[in-house]
Amino acid sequence: MTLHDDRDSPDTIVARARAAQAKYEANGSQDRYDRAAQAAAWAIMEPARNRELAELSVATTGLGNVADKITKNHRKTLGLMRDIAGQKTFGIIRDDPDSGITEIARPMGVIGAVVPSTNPAATPANNIINALKCGNAIVLSPSPKGVAACERLLQFVHAEFDKTGEDRDLVQMVPGPGSKEKTQRLLEISDLIVVTGSQNNVRRAYTSGTPALAVGAGNVPVIVDETCDPDDAAQKITASKTFDNATSCSSENAIVVVDAIYDRFVDALAKAGGALVTDERRIVAALWPDGHLNRAVIAQDAGPMLAALGMSDEVPADTKFLAVETQGIGPGHPLSGEKLSRVAALYRADDFADAVAITGRILAHQGAGHSVGLHSTDHDHAVTLAQTIPTCRVIVNQPHCFATGGAFNNGMPFSLSMGCGSWGGNSIDDNLHWKHFMQTTKIVRETAPREPTPEEIFASYWEVAGK
């Protein structure tokens, strides 16, 4: 192995990160952690750099579109900075005289983060900010197509670090070209792993022997019931489905519409830019020509997508996405899975109960635990979904991909990685956020004893079952 190769190896990079993190923690303060996080945030949010990163991301990955990536880079980062503002992540963060416990924030150490090609700037920035806020160093492993954008982002972060004298080794990446071997080694030697992207990487993270925060697959179904405003639902679904050309894991992949409102909704969808397609076989054949998703369709603008599917002359000129009628669900029906394109499966349900059943079957096939959408004015319908469906989020009357990962008009933490709970094989069931990048040490002091009698604990049970 050459000296250059050794210098670029995961072991050497992590060693540098570990040394930098030890100094960062030893000489840390809340002000320093906050300033480092602000530096990383401004590295991507500064308008000229934001545009450059968006343009580079689209040019090198071929996924999404520049305007939406600029919006995503800005809003996701600004929202995260709102969430972490004022949060205590250094020193004593809780001192409870009643319990006698004093809680002290401690970093995880070196974070190893595997990031996807769909968000090659926004996701790494999110992870970097969270890591720095909590006193960690971070080493990124981008997907092969995301290397260029990740490299440029780190150059911007380091330029900001230089303004305040912060250590560049706190934020590093495994140099391209990427490889499974390099990524695997990073997984093995980090203190905490954060993985967003392919389910193969997620499985490798959970079996690496390192504590892991890895998220499940998205395949969002959204229910449109008879109580909703069909025009409002259609407009929100269209805006969400087409944002960044459906690169988001929170993009609607199936629309389940109750029969009583089906025709009205389809008409509203057409006005919003969603064209109804009834020839399922034709779309499936064009979307999966060789059993794999057609690369000419994945995350493309409407025009190229329609051309690749042979639909340009068969739908209105202002078509933004296709809603393909189907009833099939499962491995033999690819439309029921994630499509990473401006194509949604459209299901007609007899009533709300049938819509819930269809949604449950879709999630059992793919996407369990991630999230579902609901357009409805019936509060009980949302509760029914939350109590019945294997999902960690029920997004009500909102554009799904804008709402799931945090929005300025809902209470979800801003994030680009959504935990899917046990349903999705994940260790977390909420949005990945700053608290996941920190651990605590507890000082435990003696308090007055609070020992109950058996009668206080078991009296109600004894009344039912006897002693």
Side-chain angles (χ1 to χ4, degrees):
M1 179 179 288
T2 67
L3 178 62
H4 175 75
D5 289 337
D6 182 64
R7 189 169 61 248
D8 289 344
S9 73
D11 289 82
T12 302
I13 293 168
V14 169
R16 291 202 304 268
R18 201 173 297 287
Q21 190 278 325
K23 295 177 183 177
Y24 188 50
E25 181 179 6
N27 300 295
S29 68
Q30 192 64 68
D31 285 344
R32 184 179 181 183
Y33 290 1
D34 289 348
R35 186 169 60 247
Q38 289 170 332
W42 188 237
I44 187 173
M45 281 185 64
E46 191 278 320
R49 292 185 298 217
N50 183 354
R51 174 168 288 279
E52 182 178 339
L53 287 167
E55 291 174 346
L56 183 62
S57 296
V58 174
T60 54
T61 68
L63 305 173
N65 64 74
V66 172
D68 289 348
K69 287 203 183 295
I70 289 173
T71 299
K72 185 182 294 184
N73 291 346
H74 179 89
R75 290 181 65 83
K76 286 290 187 180
T77 308
L78 181 63
L80 173 59
M81 294 306 291
R82 182 205 67 179
D83 289 348
I84 68 174
Q87 300 293 350
K88 291 184 178 181
T89 57
F90 180 86
I92 295 173
I93 60 173
R94 187 174 71 94
D95 193 10
D96 183 8
D98 291 334
S99 68
I101 293 177
T102 300
E103 199 167 1
I104 298 174
R106 303 292 300 279
M108 293 288 188
V110 176
I111 310 294
V114 182
V115 293
S117 58
T118 49
N119 294 307
T123 298
N126 191 282
N127 288 333
I128 291 168
I129 292 164
N130 280 322
L132 294 171
K133 170 71 176 182
C134 297
N136 305 287
I138 186 168
V139 178
L140 301 161
S141 178
S143 67
K145 289 184 177 181
V147 168
C150 197
E151 284 179 339
R152 196 71 179 118
L153 172 65
L154 263 60
Q155 289 172 1
F156 291 150
V157 171
H158 291 161
E160 291 298 316
F161 276 7
D162 291 347
K163 295 177 181 179
T164 60
E166 195 52 86
D167 191 340
R168 288 185 170 199
D169 282 348
L170 288 171
V171 180
Q172 299 180 73
M173 64 176 279
V174 177
S179 71
K180 290 183 179 179
E181 291 74 22
K182 289 180 182 177
T183 299
Q184 184 62 36
R185 185 58 182 159
L186 178 64
L187 298 179
E188 293 169 352
I189 61 178
S190 299
D191 296 311
L192 177 72
I193 304 165
V194 177
V195 176
T196 304
S198 77
Q199 290 306 290
N200 179 51
N201 281 337
V202 169
R203 286 189 290 271
R204 288 166 62 197
Y206 279 126
T207 58
S208 67
T210 303
L213 299 170
V215 298
N219 183 35
V220 171
V222 56
I223 293 175
V224 178
D225 79 9
E226 69 280 6
T227 72
C228 81
D229 177 339
D231 291 308
D232 182 67
Q235 290 167 7
K236 288 175 177 175
I237 289 171
T238 300
S240 173
K241 179 61 184 173
T242 59
F243 183 76
D244 202 22
N245 295 343
T247 55
S248 171
C249 62
S250 298
S251 176
E252 290 87 341
N253 273 284
I255 308 169
V256 185
V257 186
V258 171
D259 181 73
I261 203 171
Y262 188 88
D263 292 336
R264 291 166 56 202
F265 175 76
V266 168
D267 288 344
L269 200 62
K271 289 189 290 184
L276 177 67
V277 178
T278 58
D279 190 346
E280 175 186 359
R281 290 186 180 182
R282 177 178 174 182
I283 297 299
V284 169
L287 197 50
W288 290 273
D290 56 359
H292 298 89
L293 273 170
N294 186 342
R295 292 190 177 276
V297 176
I298 295 175
Q300 299 302 305
D301 290 338
M305 180 271 295
L306 293 171
L309 295 177
M311 297 295 293
S312 300
D313 298 328
E314 301 192 27
V315 294
D318 61 352
T319 294
K320 297 177 181 177
F321 80 100
L322 301 180
V324 185
E325 284 189 325
T326 183
Q327 288 297 319
I329 299 171
H333 304 277
L335 274 177
S336 63
E338 191 172 30
K339 293 166 279 296
L340 287 173
S341 62
R342 292 174 175 244
V343 178
L346 181 63
Y347 295 85
R348 188 168 190 154
D350 294 337
D351 51 25
F352 181 71
D354 188 36
V356 173
I358 291 170
T359 298
R361 287 164 54 207
I362 292 170
L363 292 181
H365 165 54
Q366 186 182 327
H370 193 286
S371 53
V372 300
L374 174 66
H375 291 272
S376 173
T377 56
D378 189 329
H379 171 74
D380 291 339
H381 282 184
V383 175
T384 296
L385 274 176
Q387 293 178 333
T388 305
I389 296 296
T391 188
C392 294
R393 301 159 195 83
V394 177
I395 306 299
V396 182
N397 294 326
Q398 298 169 74
H400 204 280
C401 85
F402 301 150
T404 315
F408 292 111
N409 61 345
N410 73 29
M412 295 298 290
F414 275 83
S415 178
L416 289 109
S417 305
M418 271 54 78
C420 301
S422 64
W423 298 298
N426 296 168
S427 59
I428 59 173
D429 64 358
D430 51 1
N431 292 5
L432 181 70
H433 63 287
W434 64 272
K435 289 183 181 179
H436 298 118
F437 289 74
M438 182 183 77
Q439 54 195 342
T440 62
T441 297
K442 286 93 177 166
I443 299 172
V444 184
R445 299 181 178 85
E446 189 175 43
T447 63
R450 295 180 298 166
E451 180 180 353
T453 65
E455 286 74 16
E456 289 174 305
I457 299 298
F458 293 105
S460 62
Y461 175 72
W462 290 337
E463 290 178 2
V464 176
K467 288 189 178 182

